[in-house]
Amino acid sequence: MTDTYLNLVNSGPLKKVAKAIGLPRPVPLRRYEPGAPMVPGPVLVLGASAGADGLASTLLAWNLDVRRHLRPKEKAGAVVVVLDDIASPGDLSATFLELGGVLRQLLPGGRVITVSRTAEAQVEPAVTAARQGIAGALRSVAKELRGGATANGVVLGETVDVDAVSVRAALRFLLSGRSAYVNGQFISVRTSGGSEPQSWDTPLAGRTAVVTGAARGIGAEIVRVLARDGARVIAVDVPAAGEQLTRVVNGVGGTALHADVTAPDAGELILNHAATRYGSLDIVVHNAGITRDKLLANMDAGRWNSVLAVNLESQLRINEALLASPDFSADGRIVSLASTSGIAGNRGQTNYAASKAGVIGMVRSTAAALQDSGRTINAVAPGFIETEMTARMPFATREVARRLSSLQQGGLPVDVAETVAFLATGAAAGISGQTLRVCGQNLVGA
Ligand code: NAD
């Protein structure tokens, strides 16, 4: 799917006109390419805590060009703002004003990343206020940035160290092009567990993954990215999608499983296929999903029930089978596809939004049950993604929807796939129960 407007405002005469009359000027995003530098320039670390010093050492060990100050006019590829020990709102001003002073020096495709502590813990009101204040400030920075730059945060649990494995994994993800369409979001690291992969180029090496709804769109891209990252992939789709599914698996050397996720024994089929072919199952991505849009006043039982059955009830049933099975790894990862419609609601989508909000609830509750295990479950909520589905939208609606995010463009299936792949790594062990939006900071409100 091509965004013609994006191409036009980045070349030729419209480039100048767009600037002069203040039209949106989306730019091509910095996306991950194996072998390319993690960040497009020096990384400035702000903050005066021991955590800031520790984090600067971590970044140095990754061979990044780390600075504690920038010279005037010197450009930065990223600014990491460490605020892990703030005690009151007054502690915010020095660091945020320092950040403001260098924002104009951020390169296109640059990153602003805050590292702070959870505002959910039972701590003093002034501490919670200051911690929560970071969310408002950071999300506003994300709306002020241009040139494809993004701002996101990593939030540490009360006892999690700045140097924890999942904090480092989240930082790598957010600094790199893998997070191109993640903007204005916070990744919470609740525990210190997890292990670093032998190679960050293939963090899923040796893992077996299942992706449902894999014959096309976002699912097919998830298959490709998981395989690129080293996983052996089993691609699941309905029998009618046979040929397309074969093309997808042939592209990555995976195997196909023709199954309807709503079948009562879908979980057992998946477990058996993985155990027989590969001897284990480590990652399950619940991507299969359908829409049957109608205003609620015109909704019928068929539309309502089929959407709930595919998008939510199948996941609950498959998870039950997975979590009861010794064939699903002790450090297994489940990633579910939600949607921003499940967060904000959407006209004509009561059934779909119920199913996707249900996924968010399911993930939260299942994560609580998995708390003391090595398994995790998370959701990814895409916003406007350029797929066959969104290509069918009426022209004007599609154009408006594309520009309604801070990045002023739709995301690509690969953006969703990169986020799924990150949550599926062993290093993301400390991240569970969350819904991470991949929406370019879409402006849809709750
Ligand atoms: P798509 O319609 O292009 O692909 C969905 C795939 O799921 C198809 O191959 C289909 O055959 C398969 N599928 C449907 N029912 C199935 C069943 N019962 N059993 C097995 N497979 C089944 O959709 P997409 O746009 O790639 O979306 C993928 C996921 O992302 C969905 O869960 C969707 O709700 C979610 N999502 C998409 C967007 C977007 O902008 N495209 C936005 C938010 C969320």
Side-chain angles (χ1 to χ4, degrees), residues 213-219 236-238 241 259-262 287-290 310 337-339 352 356 382-385 387 389-390:
R216 65 178 202 200
I218 294 172
V236 180
D237 212 302
V238 289
D260 185 327
V261 293
T262 63
N287 166 78
I290 58 170
V310 176
L337 268 287
S339 165
Y352 183 74
K356 295 300 188 180
F384 181 97
I385 304 297
T387 60
M389 187 179 92
T390 46

Side-chain angles (χ1 to χ4, degrees), residues 212-220 222 236-241 244-245 257-263 286-292 306 309-311 314-315 336-341 352 355-356 380-390 392-393 411 413 416 438:
T212 69
R216 65 178 202 200
I218 294 172
I222 294 172
V236 180
D237 212 302
V238 289
Q244 268 182 305
L245 191 65
L257 172 61
H258 300 286
D260 185 327
V261 293
T262 63
H286 292 297
N287 166 78
I290 58 170
T291 50
R292 296 286 182 272
S306 58
V310 176
N311 296 5
S314 71
Q315 297 195 15
S336 287
L337 268 287
S339 165
T340 48
S341 294
Y352 183 74
S355 74
K356 295 300 188 180
V380 172
F384 181 97
I385 304 297
E386 304 280 358
T387 60
E388 285 173 45
M389 187 179 92
T390 46
R392 284 197 299 271
M393 288 167 76
V416 181
V438 182

Side-chain angles (χ1 to χ4, degrees), residues 143-434:
K143 292 182 180 189
E144 292 177 9
L145 292 175
R146 288 291 176 262
T150 63
N152 294 287
V154 182
V155 176
L156 317 183
E158 206 54 40
T159 58
V160 174
D161 194 78
V162 169
D163 199 36
V165 173
S166 295
V167 175
R168 280 187 266 149
L171 276 171
R172 273 183 179 272
F173 171 71
L174 291 175
L175 285 169
S176 78
R178 292 177 191 258
S179 64
Y181 201 59
V182 178
N183 198 13
Q185 306 305 309
F186 289 87
I187 297 175
S188 292
V189 177
R190 304 211 165 147
T191 63
S192 300
S195 55
E196 297 220 351
Q198 282 192 340
S199 158
W200 280 104
D201 290 333
T202 50
L204 301 178
R207 309 285 280 172
T208 303
V210 161
V211 182
T212 69
R216 65 178 202 200
I218 294 172
E221 198 59 32
I222 294 172
V223 168
R224 199 185 62 72
V225 170
L226 295 184
R228 180 204 68 193
D229 283 356
R232 298 176 293 241
V233 189
I234 299 162
V236 180
D237 212 302
V238 289
E243 257 180 53
Q244 268 182 305
L245 191 65
T246 307
R247 263 202 302 278
V248 171
V249 292
N250 284 350
V252 299
T255 58
L257 172 61
H258 300 286
D260 185 327
V261 293
T262 63
D265 60 348
E268 285 73 21
L269 281 174
I270 287 170
L271 281 159
N272 287 343
H273 183 100
T276 324
R277 301 289 177 102
Y278 302 107
S280 70
L281 178 57
D282 309 294
I283 298 161
V284 172
V285 183
H286 292 297
N287 166 78
I290 58 170
T291 50
R292 296 286 182 272
D293 296 356
K294 277 278 174 200
L295 294 177
L296 185 59
N298 302 325
M299 185 69 69
D300 56 77
R303 283 191 171 82
W304 184 278
N305 293 338
S306 58
V307 168
L308 269 288
V310 176
N311 296 5
L312 180 58
E313 286 161 339
S314 71
Q315 297 195 15
L316 284 162
R317 204 176 307 112
I318 292 171
N319 286 352
E320 216 171 294
L322 292 177
L323 300 180
S325 169
D327 288 334
F328 186 55
S329 302
D331 60 351
R333 300 276 177 270
I334 300 174
V335 187
S336 287
L337 268 287
S339 165
T340 48
S341 294
I343 297 169
N346 199 13
R347 188 178 155 85
Q349 289 200 316
T350 47
N351 51 353
Y352 183 74
S355 74
K356 295 300 188 180
V359 164
I360 294 169
M362 174 196 78
V363 159
R364 199 170 52 234
S365 159
T366 310
L370 294 178
Q371 204 169 14
D372 297 319
S373 78
R375 294 167 169 169
T376 70
I377 179 167
N378 291 286
V380 172
F384 181 97
I385 304 297
E386 304 280 358
T387 60
E388 285 173 45
M389 187 179 92
T390 46
R392 284 197 299 271
M393 288 167 76
F395 173 78
T397 318
R398 186 173 67 238
E399 262 314 291
V400 171
R402 272 177 172 152
R403 307 301 154 220
L404 275 184
S405 80
S406 298
L407 294 170
Q408 302 174 324
Q409 59 193 286
L412 300 181
V414 68
D415 299 325
V416 181
E418 297 282 13
T419 306
V420 168
F422 158 64
L423 292 168
T425 58
I431 303 165
S432 194
Q434 286 178 51

